[in-house]
Amino acid sequence: MINTRTDFLNGLPIQSERTPFRLTDDEISVILNKEYCHPMENHLTKTCFLLKDPRLSRVKNFLDERMKNYTENVVEIEDKFKLTQSWSTTTKKGEKHHSHNHPNAIFSLVFYVNSESGNLVFNLDSRLR
């Protein structure tokens, strides 16, 4: 069962979920065996089309369903949306993910595969300029 919560940040609905969905060992292996670079404070796949890999179709279908649920039931938009980019980052102990934005995205989705700590932080300052 998926445990869903919606909060609002400056009027924007932010949905968070706890889900029993888990990646298989094979899916994790596919992701970790992609080529990574170290652009800033963590590791980022060189591809920004990770979920186009057919071995990750189950993961893509799950995330597509979560986006569909969000658009239909939270923001109540009837238009259909499609995933345009997907990538993976790995962050090791002592590293962090740099502050960034997604200027050409209407929605962004974050899926934590394995996380022992850390927070997803939203900074709206750059949106307001």
Side-chain angles (χ1 to χ4, degrees):
M1 177 170 192
I2 295 176
N3 181 3
T4 303
R5 182 176 114 192
T6 303
D7 294 304
F8 291 87
L9 179 64
N10 285 3
L12 300 171
I14 308 295
Q15 184 169 307
S16 59
E17 301 179 349
R18 289 202 179 268
T19 173
F21 182 86
R22 297 293 178 259
L23 294 165
T24 66
D25 289 342
D26 288 341
E27 291 163 341
I28 291 171
S29 179
V30 167
I31 293 168
L32 292 178
N33 285 310
K34 294 292 183 184
E35 194 172 352
Y36 282 76
C37 59
H38 189 77
M40 292 196 165
E41 296 109 338
N42 62 356
H43 300 82
L44 171 69
T45 51
K46 287 191 174 181
T47 181
C48 59
F49 303 105
L50 180 69
L51 293 177
K52 286 192 175 190
D53 188 315
R55 298 170 293 178
L56 299 174
S57 63
R58 188 182 77 93
V59 179
K60 182 181 182 311
N61 290 339
F62 172 76
L63 296 175
D64 283 345
E65 187 59 35
R66 301 319 314 137
M67 177 56 72
K68 180 180 175 192
N69 177 69
Y70 177 78
T71 58
E72 289 179 357
N73 299 312
V74 177
V75 293
E76 299 181 357
I77 297 174
E78 294 180 12
D79 294 335
K80 302 297 179 209
F81 292 88
K82 98 176 187 177
L83 180 85
T84 57
Q85 293 185 354
S86 55
W87 58 88
S88 172
T89 61
T90 60
T91 307
K92 297 177 180 165
K93 188 173 184 176
E95 296 179 338
K96 63 180 179 174
H97 197 86
H98 64 283
S99 178
H100 67 281
N101 60 33
H102 302 163
N104 294 324
I106 296 172
F107 303 108
S108 293
L109 185 145
V110 177
F111 179 69
Y112 286 96
V113 173
N114 183 11
S115 177
E116 295 178 15
S117 65
N119 296 308
L120 181 59
V121 177
F122 295 94
N123 180 342
L124 297 180
D125 288 347
S126 64
R127 279 188 75 220
L128 302 175
R129 291 181 204 175

